[in-house]
Amino acid sequence: MSTDRNDDSNIPYAIRTHTPEKLKDALRKMYLIRKFEEGAEESYTRGLIHGTMHLCIGQEASSVGTCLSLTDADKITSTHRGHGHCIAKGADVAKMFAEFFGKETGYCRGRGGSMHIADPSKGNLGANGIVGGGLPIAVGAALSAKRLGRDDVTICFFGDGANNEGAFHESVNMAAVWKLPVVFVCENNKYGMSTSIQRSTSVKSIADRAKGYDIPGVSVDGNDISAVAEAIDGAVARARAGEGPSLVENVTYRWRGHSKSDRNRYRTKEEISDWMARDPIPRFAADLIAHGILTEAELADIDAGTDREIAEAIEFARGGPDPDITQLTRDVYTETAA
Amino acid sequence: MNTHVEIEAPTRELSYAEAIREAMDIALGSDPAVVLMGEDIGVYGGAFQVTGDLVHKYGEDRVIDTPISELGGAGVAVGAALTGLKPIFEFQFSDFAALAMEQIVNQAAKVRYMLGGSVSVPLVMRFPAGSGTGAAAQHSQSIEAWLGHVPGLKVLQPSTPEDVKGMLLAALADPDPVMIFEHKILYKMKGHVPEGYYTTPIGKAAVRREGKDVTIVATSLMVHKALAAAETLAADGIEAEVIDLRTVRPMDRDTVLDSVRKTGRLVCVYEGVKTLGVGAEISAMVAESDAFDFLDAPIIRLGGAECPIPYNPELEKAAVPQMPDILNAARSLAKGQI
């Protein structure tokens, strides 16, 4: 990074790069993600959702910062902990809740659930239930863009756990060899289920994996939306310019357990509370207020507005029709005209 | 002389490998979205010289040599198929697909269903398969039943040059992932192949020889062994009906059941391991239908032995059904009748 000082040097990157409207929307999305996850958790507790879920509370800056400058034509592949990615890429929370509730009105008509939400119309190629499953798919999407002469970039979200899958290494290598427009975004939340990166990973920083493939790798504070956005924008610009892939590591933390079965036996309460003190949402809100982008009244509006949006989404979802059981095997194959 | 003689065009013969190449040539030439991917399919021409010189005609951007990364390569093909390309992915040996099962089974096969029908995966994968080359246990398997067990995939086993060209072109026109198993012993087999574009239907068996005494349902190379057996049987006064199954999934129930209703006797011949294989499905299909009432004798399954494919040539031959096995099976069934 440049050490040159300029007039804007003490203004966070996101704030000096984006319009006030865009920044306020980014904050709104962070609120929406947080409240979506809380709403999902509550719905689960109330027995409205069957199956498990993987919540990303605490990681909102990573999702929103990564998607901040993307267009709908840009693609993402997501992970089992993907609700934040969906919302950051523009998904409708009502259709997401409907999917959670297994409704025909959900993104996947109730066939996918929490781990398979996708929204191809917004470039979201889908979450994935297989750790590392989305990595080569993202490279394939980037191959399509290059071969078909499109300028879209693919963002490949994956977790620290996936960095030890063969799919990660094969994918990064191929993208590097073929100089494909893909950005590998590792959300390092410190644990693959219960196993810490210290116990699973041979490098200190997952960004160091980039060296093995001769691509740029950078590690940033994943709870700082500006730091995330700056790293991603650089990587996306490089990808769009045909210079190939990059690896960005967003160091963050999930406040909740891995899934609903997690008893948190592998980390301390102190560690969790330390990270909760580094909440990315009030941090960004305070920055926006400090730089005159946002007023306290607007913040209150965002807070109340996202509460309302989530409540309405849950109502929409609950009232939706269940899938027709006679349609059980629909969409296994594409129905073609006889 | 004023006579006009209609001269029938001489039957054009191609080898099975040439027929595949011609299909890929037609596809590459007519659709810019088609790309070939695989290991050593470029200047090397493919391990079995199936892609041959196509790289010289279409270039390295469309005939893409992948690193030796079966999982990643298969996943790139899945991602590319999701986003606008139509990849034809060659596994160097079908055995190596074991490295890529995650992407084939968990991603390619399921993504359309998981996402509620909002996407499709127009992907063709080619698998050089089968024994008889002295390549032993990790280069000789017949794994079509593994993939035939997965809803979302279509699984083909063309047995002739004409069919392999037509079925590959049908697979490319199909919006869903299609897996084509090509027996390596067939690559050099010559046969009539129509010129230009045509498709051979997926899911439709072919009656290769009509007969009234016993039905032999065979797949891939076994079709030719069954036809040879049928010639010998005819000399004994036993008229065998030989059905080339052509598609393992979806299986052509009508053609098989109609034949069994006619002959009352059934032999299933396939190279994959006998237990839990293609023959079990054919047999169950008959047992669960009214055709069962027409059976005059128990069904016989001739499948691969319950062991890996061995190296020693005599052991290798003993590990899969041979012509005399088919002969003996058909004779034993017909015994009561002749």
Side-chain angles (χ1 to χ4, degrees), chain A residues 116 128 144 147 170 328 333-334, chain B residues 61 72 83 107 113 153 176:
Chain A
H116 302 295
N128 213 303
S144 284
R147 289 283 161 268
E170 294 186 18
L328 173 67
Y333 297 100
T334 305
Chain B
D61 284 350
T83 52
Q107 312 294 340
Y113 187 84
L153 301 180
D176 298 316

Side-chain angles (χ1 to χ4, degrees), chain A:
Chain A
M1 230 186 292
S2 169
T3 53
D4 291 346
R5 289 268 159 184
N6 58 43
D7 293 339
D8 290 341
S9 60
N10 58 349
I11 301 176
Y13 173 84
I15 292 177
R16 66 175 194 264
T17 309
H18 291 286
T19 63
E21 288 66 36
K22 183 93 180 166
L23 294 166
K24 282 184 261 195
D25 187 60
L27 182 66
R28 188 190 67 83
K29 280 182 172 158
M30 290 169 79
Y31 266 87
L32 203 57
I33 294 169
R34 175 71 53 90
K35 290 174 182 182
F36 181 91
E37 299 292 57
E38 289 169 349
E41 196 168 40
E42 194 199 331
S43 299
Y44 180 85
T45 308
R46 290 164 61 199
L48 295 171
I49 293 175
H50 93 136
T52 193
M53 67 185 75
H54 307 89
L55 303 174
C56 69
I57 294 176
Q59 303 184 184
E60 295 85 352
S62 172
S63 293
V64 177
T66 298
C67 296
L68 195 60
S69 300
L70 302 182
T71 69
D72 286 354
D74 293 322
K75 311 283 187 289
I76 65 165
T77 61
S78 172
T79 71
H80 60 288
R81 200 173 306 287
H83 309 155
H85 309 149
C86 288
I87 294 170
K89 198 72 175 60
D92 173 355
V93 289
K95 287 178 77 176
M96 288 177 69
F97 268 118
E99 187 56 36
F100 268 36
F101 291 10
K103 301 293 190 178
E104 186 69 28
T105 39
Y107 267 110
C108 310
R109 299 172 181 270
R111 271 65 165 186
S114 160
M115 274 188 282
H116 302 295
I117 296 177
D119 184 6
S121 70
K122 299 274 189 202
N124 178 356
L125 298 177
N128 213 303
I130 305 296
V131 170
L135 279 144
I137 291 174
V139 177
L143 179 71
S144 284
K146 185 165 180 174
R147 289 283 161 268
L148 298 172
R150 299 190 310 240
D151 76 343
D152 52 277
V153 167
T154 302
I155 298 285
C156 174
F157 284 107
F158 64 102
D160 48 286
N163 104 92
N164 296 315
E165 288 280 9
F168 166 78
H169 296 273
E170 294 186 18
S171 299
V172 177
N173 180 62
M174 272 184 281
V177 168
W178 295 334
K179 287 202 178 328
L180 295 180
V182 55
V183 181
F184 298 99
V185 180
C186 180
E187 296 190 308
N188 177 0
N189 63 18
K190 313 280 195 187
Y191 297 92
M193 206 156 157
S194 70
T195 306
S196 68
I197 48 169
Q198 290 80 11
R199 294 172 62 217
S200 69
T201 299
S202 63
V203 286
K204 284 208 171 58
S205 162
I206 289 166
D208 288 344
R209 294 282 195 215
K211 291 176 191 161
Y213 304 98
D214 197 21
I215 64 170
V218 60
S219 183
V220 300
D221 178 352
N223 284 8
D224 175 356
I225 187 172
S226 264
V228 171
E230 185 165 16
I232 296 291
D233 284 0
V236 166
R238 182 181 139 83
R240 260 197 245 286
E243 292 164 25
S246 306
L247 173 57
V248 176
E249 177 187 20
N250 296 338
V251 178
T252 184
Y253 199 79
R254 61 166 154 78
W255 294 5
R256 297 294 192 267
H258 163 73
S259 69
K260 301 316 291 181
S261 67
D262 191 333
R263 290 176 296 172
N264 265 323
R265 288 189 168 181
Y266 51 90
R267 53 186 193 173
T268 62
K269 285 195 174 70
E270 292 70 32
E271 180 183 291
I272 298 171
S273 56
D274 277 356
W275 275 94
M276 287 174 75
R278 294 187 235 174
D279 188 338
I281 299 179
R283 179 172 172 182
F284 184 44
D287 265 355
L288 292 181
I289 289 169
H291 289 90
I293 306 289
L294 184 78
T295 64
E296 292 285 357
E298 286 173 321
L299 180 61
D301 281 350
I302 287 173
D303 192 8
T306 47
D307 272 343
R308 202 164 46 241
E309 195 173 343
I310 292 297
E312 287 168 4
I314 291 174
E315 272 317 293
F316 168 84
R318 291 187 68 176
D322 287 320
D324 179 349
I325 287 169
T326 65
Q327 299 292 299
L328 173 67
T329 58
R330 198 188 114 141
D331 296 325
V332 173
Y333 297 100
T334 305
E335 280 181 31
T336 46

Side-chain angles (χ1 to χ4, degrees), chain B:
Chain B
M1 298 285 279
N2 197 20
T3 56
H4 175 76
V5 182
E6 286 280 339
I7 299 174
E8 199 174 300
T11 299
R12 189 186 63 134
E13 293 217 325
L14 293 181
S15 73
Y16 189 93
E18 288 164 344
I20 298 168
R21 189 182 315 137
E22 186 168 273
M24 295 194 294
D25 194 357
I26 290 170
L28 286 161
S30 59
D31 186 348
V34 172
V35 294
L36 311 187
M37 297 178 65
E39 293 163 8
D40 307 295
I41 65 166
V43 290
Y44 195 96
F48 297 96
Q49 292 301 312
V50 176
T51 47
D53 289 335
L54 288 174
V55 70
H56 299 302
K57 188 166 175 185
Y58 296 102
E60 290 183 348
D61 284 350
R62 299 191 65 203
V63 180
I64 304 169
D65 272 330
T66 68
I68 303 175
S69 302
E70 286 83 3
L71 169 63
V76 170
V78 174
L82 276 168
T83 52
L85 291 177
K86 290 183 192 167
I88 304 174
F89 187 89
E90 176 182 301
F91 284 97
Q92 195 158 82
F93 286 81
S94 68
D95 313 66
F96 305 166
L99 289 150
M101 285 304 242
E102 198 286 290
Q103 284 293 327
I104 301 171
V105 173
N106 285 323
Q107 312 294 340
K110 295 184 173 67
V111 65
R112 176 175 176 79
Y113 187 84
M114 292 191 301
L115 304 193
S118 63
V119 296
S120 62
V121 185
L123 167 66
V124 177
M125 290 182 151
R126 299 181 33 248
F127 303 78
S131 67
T133 63
Q138 295 170 339
H139 291 72
S140 303
Q141 291 168 86
S142 297
I143 63 165
E144 54 281 349
W146 299 6
L147 298 186
H149 199 66
V150 183
L153 301 180
K154 295 179 182 177
V155 181
L156 319 184
Q157 282 189 285
S159 74
T160 68
E162 177 173 353
D163 277 4
V164 78
K165 178 181 167 187
M167 293 185 95
L168 179 51
L169 290 170
L172 272 167
D174 195 292
D176 298 316
V178 181
M179 313 285 116
I180 305 180
F181 285 82
E182 303 161 358
H183 202 295
K184 286 164 288 194
I185 298 298
L186 292 175
Y187 279 138
K188 290 191 171 146
M189 172 180 284
K190 292 209 164 206
H192 169 64
V193 177
E195 308 223 17
Y197 183 88
Y198 64 93
T199 60
T200 303
I202 293 170
K204 193 88 191 93
V207 178
R208 297 294 182 198
R209 185 186 197 284
E210 292 194 9
K212 61 179 176 34
D213 298 325
V214 57
T215 297
I216 304 174
V217 179
T219 60
S220 191
L221 181 61
M222 293 298 154
V223 172
H224 301 282
K225 294 185 181 180
L227 285 168
E231 289 301 309
T232 305
L233 290 165
D236 297 351
I238 300 169
E239 292 301 330
E241 179 146 298
V242 177
I243 294 176
D244 178 353
L245 194 62
R246 298 203 290 194
T247 307
V248 168
R249 184 183 193 96
M251 211 175 265
D252 181 353
R253 179 184 156 90
D254 291 345
T255 301
V256 172
L257 298 188
D258 282 350
S259 180
V260 171
R261 287 186 197 107
K262 180 169 71 173
T263 65
R265 295 172 176 79
L266 174 62
V267 180
C268 309
V269 200
Y270 52 105
E271 188 167 324
V273 171
K274 178 180 169 183
T275 304
L276 296 164
V278 171
E281 189 56 38
I282 299 167
S283 305
M285 208 162 70
V286 171
E288 287 177 334
S289 77
D290 70 289
F292 178 76
D293 297 330
F294 291 79
L295 285 177
D296 295 323
I299 295 167
I300 294 180
R301 284 182 294 155
L302 299 173
E306 306 296 321
C307 61
I309 298 291
Y311 171 64
N312 172 282
E314 293 309 312
L315 290 178
E316 184 180 19
K317 274 185 211 151
V320 300
Q322 301 297 342
M323 200 275 268
D325 302 318
I326 303 170
L327 211 50
N328 291 339
R331 276 180 179 148
S332 75
L333 288 185
K335 213 180 292 170
Q337 185 195 37
I338 304 301

